[in-house]
Structures are given as C-alpha cells and as structure tokens.
Amino acid sequence: MITLALMATSQLLALSPQEAVNKFIAHSSLRHASLGVQVIDLDSAISIASYRPEQANITASTMKTVVSSAALGLLGPHFRFETPVYLEGEVMDGLFKGDIVIRGMGDPTIGSVFLPCQANIVDEIIAALRDRGINAVEGRIVGDDSYYNFPYFDEDWDVGDLAYDYGAAVHALSFHDNLMTVSYSVDSRGRLIQSTISPPVPGVKVISRCRPNRGRSAVTPYLDYSVPALVLTGDTGAKTYRNTYANPTPAPMLVDSVERALKSNGIQYQPTAGNGSAQVSQRTLLVIHKSPELTEIITSLLDRSDNMFAHALLRAIGAREWELKGADSMPSDLDFIGVQAVKNWLQLQGVDTEPLFMRDGSGLARANKASVNFFGDMLSMMAHRRFDGVRLCDLMPKAAGRAGKTLKENPLSDLIVLKSGSMRHVQCFVGYYPAHEPHYAFAVLVNNFTCSQSSIREQIGVFLCDLFEEL
C-alpha cells in the first residue's frame, strides 16, 4: 500500500512539458530577461512546449550547431582540408636550392594540440625531403598565408576578445591552434623586464604599457597586427605572468618549427635572404598535408566550443561557393558569402531562416541572433538527416556537467546531448533527448538574466530534468 501511495504521489508531482517550461520561466532571475524555449516531438514534428518561440535572442556558441550542420551537408562528413607543400627550385646531388613553400588553404587544425592523432605536417615535410634524397637545403621556408587576403577575424567580433585564446583569428595558414603561451615579468614601474613566447613566433613583440599599482594587478592584453605585438595595458605591480593568447602571425611559428626540425634531423639548412635559386626553374609538389575528417573536427569544436575551428568551417563553405564560380583569389566578403551559403542550404532543407541573424560561424559576435523556433526547425531537420550514416546528434557532447550540478548528478546527463553557449548575460542550450535515438529536440536561449552564470546554468539543468524525467 505504501509503495502504491508513493507511486501515485510521484505521478501527481510529475510535470507536463509545458508545466516544466512555466516553472522555469517563473524564476525571479528571469523577470527582466529576453528568452525563448522550444521543445519539439521529433516523431510528429510538433511543439509540445514553448515560450516566446518567435523572439530572436543572442545565440552565443549554439551558433556552432548551425555551421556544423551546413558543413556536413555542403562539404560532406569525409571532407578534409588540404595544405600543399611545394619545392620551388632545383635538386642537385642531395642539395635543394630554392624555397619550400607551405601553401595555406584554410585548415584550422594544423599542429592542433586538441587533435594529437592527426599527421604532423613538420614530420611529413622532413620525411618527404628524405624520400627525395635531400640532405641539405639552401633557400627559404615560406609560409604562404595569402589565400585569405583580408582581415583574419570577423568584423563583428569585439576587439576586446581578439587577444584571448577564445578569440584566435582564422588564417589561411594556421598552426598550433593559432595560440601562443607568453611568459613575462614587469617591474614595480610596469616596465617589461623579460618575456618569452612558446612555441617561438619570430617577429612578434611583447610591449608593456601597464601603469604601476602595488595594490592591484589587472592586465588587459590586445593585439596590434601592424607591429605585430601583444600589448599589455592596465595596472600591475612587480609580477611574473604566464598566459595563453591568440597568435597574430601563426605562419612564422610554423616556419620556425620546420627550420628547427631540419637542423635537428640532420638536414643542413642555409637560409637565404631571397629566393634560394636565382630563377625558379620548376615547382614540384613535395607533400599534401590532410586534416582529420570533418566529423572529427566538428566533434572537437562542439565539445570544446572552439571559435576558430567553427569560423574556419564557415570560410571553407564560403570558399567552396566562390571556387564553384571559377574565381581565383578569395573576396574580402568571404564570411558573408559563407553565411549566405549556409542560409541557402538550410532553406533547401525546408528550414525557415528568416529568424536567423547570422554574422559568423562561431557565435562570438553578439550580433548573432535566432529564435528558438529556428533552432527547433533546424534540429528537427538534422535529426532526420544522415550524412553517410552520420547525424548531428552523434557529434554533440553529452550534457555531463555543462548544465549545473542537478543535471550532472542525474542519470539524464548521459542521455542528453547538447551544445551550450555563454557570454556576459547570455546562456543558451540546444540539443536532443535521448542521445542514442532522439525523440525530442530542445532550445533554450536566455539573455539578460540577473543571477550568476552558474546559477542560470543550474536553473536550465533543473528544467531539463523536469522536462525529460517523465518523457
């Protein structure tokens, strides 16, 4: 009898999907918020609970699901970036005289510490030289970054984000995640007394413009691409720092890595100021470095919320559209071309893109906005699409500890896959339940809440528990 009573009580306490939404939006921290909630039954393609589904809100990194979906459809799950390396010169008796040219084509993954199992481009170059019997090089290692001949970062990104690791720009020739670790010391007057960059980036300076302040240390960095330099501002006393920042010139970092590898592998290297050969008599392909497949790239970028990887996919989509027209050099509005290609593809799949205000591929721009209706439509479409057997939900991370303690400690955390997005006064989640064979898609976009970031994540996690525990 007691068991039956408990079961009856549990059934009475269970919330319907709309009741779960109503409970969530009633929280006092959302009194002044702009927010939307959408829950879709994937079997019927019908909304079973919602709140302000048409209102467009800032998406933050949930925008990465949009570019990832379009990349699967337009580039294909087995797409790989290719980076050709050329010999421009002549080989005679084991001596190559000329330039080794690494032609960047937009691959964001070269030398990435987050994809350690991929082929190492430096090792590939050394092995290819040995295969040709080359044991000495007289000339230059050239990092050709000209494929994207325009600003590396999106014009809608906040200039204050560009120096930080999450604000690393997209280059035609990227390396080491376009990041550099900088160790530096300043004296009591705020003057720089020591600095080192790892891995080395020839040509990049560290400049201190800090104000002396014994009682406060608040250093703010920014990148000066014209020098190039990492410029340190703000207040500090005598102190030593070590932080990871965006690298404004990844090509020289790669060139330096190749030069050091030549010497450490017993290949004599004699750099020259100009082309190693008085006249380039021939250009031959030395090796083609290939990135991991698109599915691995997407899995990594969604899990880590990598802005640079995501925006690189948008540019790859734009470059594909441009090259289909037979054009040579990339236009300066390549990001816009990529956005239009994403929207066109979504429209062809039956998704209404009117409520999608897309500016970049990552969500870093605060101008990115969308309605939860848009996400509901897109997620529903992607739930029924397989790309050589691959679904978007297969590449998304599990909820785990991404949405607060309550959900983390609930068995549902392993049954929900989601992409989070957060920035100041913005917290969003979009995803599927259950993970292995989704029956529901959801989107929660919250802007301008009055509690802490951790508190709103916890509230959304509780909402997801309320929503799915009885479904």
Side-chain angles (χ1 to χ4, degrees):
M1 294 295 293
I2 295 177
T3 301
L4 290 174
L6 289 173
M7 290 176 61
T9 302
S10 175
Q11 289 173 354
L12 289 172
L13 293 176
L15 300 177
S16 71
Q18 190 60 54
E19 288 172 338
V21 170
N22 294 342
K23 175 188 171 185
F24 167 63
I25 65 174
H27 197 280
S28 60
S29 64
L30 303 180
R31 185 177 305 153
H32 308 293
S34 299
L35 72 153
V37 182
Q38 182 65 285
V39 184
I40 302 291
D41 182 321
L42 295 175
D43 295 328
S44 63
I46 295 175
S47 171
I48 59 172
S50 67
Y51 180 74
R52 294 181 181 173
E54 299 293 346
Q55 179 172 292
N57 293 301
I58 298 172
T59 65
S61 286
T62 56
M63 187 61 71
K64 292 179 173 71
T65 61
V66 180
V67 75
S68 296
S69 297
L72 285 170
L74 291 169
L75 303 177
H78 305 299
F79 168 81
R80 295 176 185 263
F81 289 93
E82 294 188 350
T83 304
V85 182
Y86 299 99
L87 296 180
E88 293 186 351
E90 296 182 339
V91 180
M92 296 180 60
D93 299 326
L95 170 65
F96 170 67
K97 298 185 70 172
D99 292 341
I100 299 175
V101 180
I102 308 169
R103 171 68 168 161
M105 302 292 286
D107 183 356
T109 72
I110 301 174
S112 173
V113 300
F114 303 111
L115 297 168
C117 295
Q118 71 164 312
N120 184 312
I121 191 172
V122 177
D123 291 344
E124 288 177 320
I125 291 172
I126 298 300
L129 291 173
R130 290 198 177 282
D131 287 345
R132 290 174 177 264
I134 296 172
N135 51 44
V137 174
E138 184 179 313
R140 299 179 302 171
I141 314 299
V142 178
D144 183 354
D145 197 28
S146 63
Y147 186 61
Y148 296 151
N149 191 22
F150 45 86
Y152 303 114
F153 46 85
D154 186 88
E155 62 181 13
D156 287 305
W157 288 3
D158 190 320
V159 67
D161 292 331
L162 301 181
Y164 293 98
D165 54 357
Y166 63 84
V170 176
H171 294 251
L173 185 57
S174 294
F175 185 61
H176 194 67
D177 303 295
N178 294 349
L179 299 177
M180 58 184 184
T181 299
V182 182
S183 301
Y184 60 94
S185 300
V186 292
D187 63 16
S188 59
R189 296 183 180 182
R191 298 176 302 186
L192 189 72
I193 56 177
Q194 173 272 334
S195 68
T196 58
I197 298 177
S198 178
V201 191
V204 172
K205 299 179 180 179
V206 180
I207 299 172
S208 175
R209 293 179 182 160
C210 293
R211 298 181 297 270
N213 189 329
R214 293 182 179 179
R216 183 172 184 265
S217 292
V219 176
T220 301
Y222 73 88
L223 292 179
D224 187 337
Y225 277 83
S226 65
V227 176
L230 174 70
V231 182
L232 309 168
T233 64
D235 298 331
T236 184
K239 193 173 180 180
T240 296
Y241 297 85
R242 178 182 173 86
N243 291 299
T244 299
Y245 300 101
N247 177 5
T249 57
M253 177 189 278
L254 174 55
V255 167
D256 179 76
S257 296
V258 174
E259 290 177 344
R260 288 186 286 110
L262 289 173
K263 297 171 183 177
S264 65
N265 283 274
I267 298 177
Q268 297 179 26
Y269 176 56
Q270 180 61 48
T272 60
N275 190 286
S277 177
Q279 182 177 359
V280 177
S281 58
Q282 62 185 56
R283 184 191 203 196
T284 58
L285 180 65
L286 178 65
V287 67
I288 296 179
H289 171 77
K290 295 184 179 182
S291 75
E293 289 192 346
L294 180 64
T295 51
E296 187 174 349
I297 296 173
I298 290 176
T299 300
S300 178
L301 77 86
L302 291 178
D303 180 44
R304 299 179 297 102
S305 204
D306 192 306
N307 294 318
M308 193 268 286
F309 274 29
H311 197 62
L313 289 188
L314 181 72
R315 289 197 169 172
I317 291 170
R320 172 187 176 274
E321 293 297 303
W322 192 250
E323 289 174 343
L324 287 175
K325 298 177 181 179
D328 294 325
S329 59
M330 291 295 112
S332 59
D333 62 345
L334 187 62
D335 293 350
F336 176 78
I337 293 172
V339 167
Q340 291 305 116
V342 169
K343 287 188 172 183
N344 291 340
W345 182 80
L346 288 170
Q347 289 168 4
L348 288 173
Q349 313 312 308
V351 177
D352 180 12
T353 61
E354 185 177 359
L356 171 64
F357 302 87
M358 187 177 184
R359 295 293 183 269
D360 67 11
S362 68
L364 187 58
R366 294 186 75 92
N368 287 298
K369 294 184 179 182
S371 71
V372 290
N373 249 6
F374 162 76
F375 275 109
D377 289 348
M378 187 202 76
L379 292 170
S380 295
M381 179 272 293
M382 291 299 291
H384 296 100
R385 289 291 306 274
R386 293 177 183 267
F387 305 87
D388 284 349
V390 177
R391 303 169 299 177
L392 176 65
C393 62
D394 299 328
L395 310 180
M396 295 176 69
K398 292 184 177 180
R402 301 169 193 268
K405 182 179 179 181
T406 298
L407 180 56
K408 181 181 179 180
E409 295 177 349
N410 191 300
L412 285 169
S413 65
D414 287 329
L415 299 175
I416 297 172
V417 290
L418 52 74
K419 178 70 194 84
S420 63
S422 62
M423 53 177 58
R424 186 174 177 82
H425 300 307
V426 176
Q427 185 63 62
C428 308
F429 290 95
V430 301
Y432 295 102
Y433 169 82
H436 62 284
E437 196 59 52
H439 292 295
Y440 303 94
F442 64 89
V444 183
L445 307 181
V446 184
N447 296 179
N448 304 321
F449 47 86
T450 56
C451 59
S452 67
Q453 205 86 32
S454 60
S455 178
I456 190 63
R457 283 195 293 267
E458 173 66 14
Q459 291 175 47
I460 296 174
V462 170
F463 161 65
L464 293 176
C465 289
D466 290 340
L467 178 65
F468 292 126
E469 277 182 332
E470 298 300 324
L471 289 179

